[in-house]
């Protein structure tokens, strides 16, 4: 299984919403932490707003697992990840396995960022849960450009966290099927973050991660 495979260090979830991606990610993080390894879980943060999922995971994991850090990753209004901020987080937690949840993939530039991180950090695990995509050919592009990653899609296709009807309504999905990968909704907003997550100027929305060590 995914959780028992110790050699599975590169993984991308392309499954529909509410099918258990976050549960699997947090379970793997706990497993690694109990073995004495360090884990960083990143969730998107637009301006100063924290999601309910971020607050929930931070409380659940950091209070009980000293080796797990839950932090935010700056994104824009379309949930495009900020490459500069991702570089800073990886540098800060350079010896941590990286798990990114609620990630959006919009174009080839986002894939290039992931590929560069994959090539530079070979000694850690990198797991990504994709909840928003724009390109209908994204799966083929991911397979062609990120050969080291296992892509999980059809293996997770049944709603677990919510019923099918709730998932359809929340994410504006007409049909929950094994082919559903595009998500239009967002997680709930719960509060205001500290000054570390001030609105980012346009010049910070660079697409490269040169200089990541």
């Amino acid at each position: 299984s995914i959780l028992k495979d110790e050699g599975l260090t590169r993984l991308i979830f392309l499954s529909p919403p509410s099918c258990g991606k976050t549960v699997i990610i947090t379970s793997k993080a706990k497993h690694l932490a109990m073995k004495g390894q360090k884990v960083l879980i990143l969730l998107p943060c637009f301006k100063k707003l924290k999601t309910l999922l971020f607050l929930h995971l931070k409380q659940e994991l950091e209070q009980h697992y000293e080796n797990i850090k839950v932090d935010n990753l700056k994104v824009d209004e379309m949930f495009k990840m900020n490459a500069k901020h991702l570089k800073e987080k990886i540098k800060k937690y350079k010896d941590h396995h990286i798990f990114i949840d609620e990630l959006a993939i919009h174009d080839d530039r986002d894939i290039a960022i992931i590929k560069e991180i994959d090539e530079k950090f070979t000694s850690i695990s990198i797991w990504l849960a994709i909840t928003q995509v724009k390109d209908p050919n994204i799966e083929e592009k991911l397979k062609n450009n990120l050969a080291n990653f296992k892509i999980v899609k059809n293996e997770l296709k049944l709603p677990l966290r919510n019923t099918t009807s709730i998932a359809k309504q929340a994410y504006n999905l007409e049909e929950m099927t094994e082919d559903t990968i595009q998500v239009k909704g967002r997680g709930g907003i719960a509060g205001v973050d500290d000054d570390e997550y001030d609105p980012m100027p346009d010049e910070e929305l660079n697409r490269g991660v040169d200089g990541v060590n």
Side-chain angles (χ1 to χ4, degrees):
S1 69
I2 294 175
L3 292 176
K4 293 182 179 180
D5 189 346
E6 298 291 341
L8 187 56
T9 62
R10 298 290 190 271
L11 182 65
I12 293 176
F13 290 103
L14 276 180
S15 307
S18 299
C19 289
K21 298 185 293 294
T22 301
V23 172
I24 294 176
I25 283 178
T26 54
S27 296
K28 185 66 172 183
K30 293 174 184 178
H31 174 71
L32 293 171
M34 292 176 65
K35 294 173 59 179
Q37 301 180 43
K38 297 179 180 180
V39 179
L40 171 64
I41 298 178
L42 292 174
L43 293 106
C45 177
F46 175 54
K47 294 186 176 180
K48 295 183 177 182
L49 301 177
K50 296 177 181 178
T51 64
L52 291 173
L53 178 60
F54 168 79
L55 295 176
H56 169 71
L57 292 183
K58 194 169 185 68
Q59 181 179 26
E60 174 190 355
L61 299 175
E62 289 192 356
Q63 289 185 3
H64 301 287
Y65 298 89
E66 63 179 14
N67 288 343
I68 298 179
K69 176 64 177 177
V70 179
D71 210 337
N72 280 133
L73 173 64
K74 283 183 179 180
V75 297
D76 67 8
E77 67 276 5
M78 298 302 294
F79 273 38
K80 289 176 69 71
M81 57 183 167
N82 182 299
K84 179 180 179 181
H85 197 236
L86 179 59
K87 175 194 68 176
E88 293 171 353
K89 292 299 179 182
I90 295 176
K91 185 176 181 179
K92 180 178 180 180
Y93 302 103
K94 59 183 178 180
D95 56 346
H96 290 57
H97 298 289
I98 301 171
F99 293 74
I100 307 179
D101 201 2
E102 303 288 335
L103 187 64
I105 299 294
H106 287 271
D107 50 40
D108 293 341
R109 293 175 296 179
D110 293 326
I111 296 177
I113 293 171
I114 297 172
K115 183 176 182 179
E116 187 169 356
I117 293 172
D118 168 41
E119 294 174 346
K120 289 189 175 183
F121 298 92
T122 58
S123 63
I124 62 173
S125 297
I126 302 175
W127 283 27
L128 312 172
I130 311 299
T131 55
Q132 187 178 106
V133 299
K134 293 296 183 182
D135 189 340
N137 300 314
I138 194 68
E139 184 176 2
E140 182 179 354
K141 290 183 177 181
L142 289 172
K143 288 180 178 179
N144 291 337
N145 292 280
L146 302 174
N148 292 333
F149 284 80
K150 175 182 177 63
I151 296 179
V152 173
K153 179 183 175 184
N154 296 337
E155 295 90 332
L156 298 175
K157 58 184 179 181
L158 297 177
L160 299 177
R161 178 163 51 89
N162 295 313
T163 65
T164 302
S165 59
I166 292 176
K168 288 180 180 178
Q169 182 68 26
Y171 294 94
N172 300 321
L173 297 176
E174 295 181 358
E175 187 177 7
M176 287 286 292
T177 71
E178 61 185 34
D179 295 324
T180 302
I181 60 173
Q182 183 162 345
V183 179
K184 298 179 181 179
R186 297 180 181 176
I189 300 300
V192 177
D193 206 347
D194 55 32
D195 291 340
E196 182 181 355
Y197 302 104
D198 285 335
M200 51 185 164
D202 292 339
E203 59 267 21
E204 286 192 22
L205 287 173
N206 59 90
R207 308 315 305 171
V209 289
D210 293 337
V212 177
N213 299 313

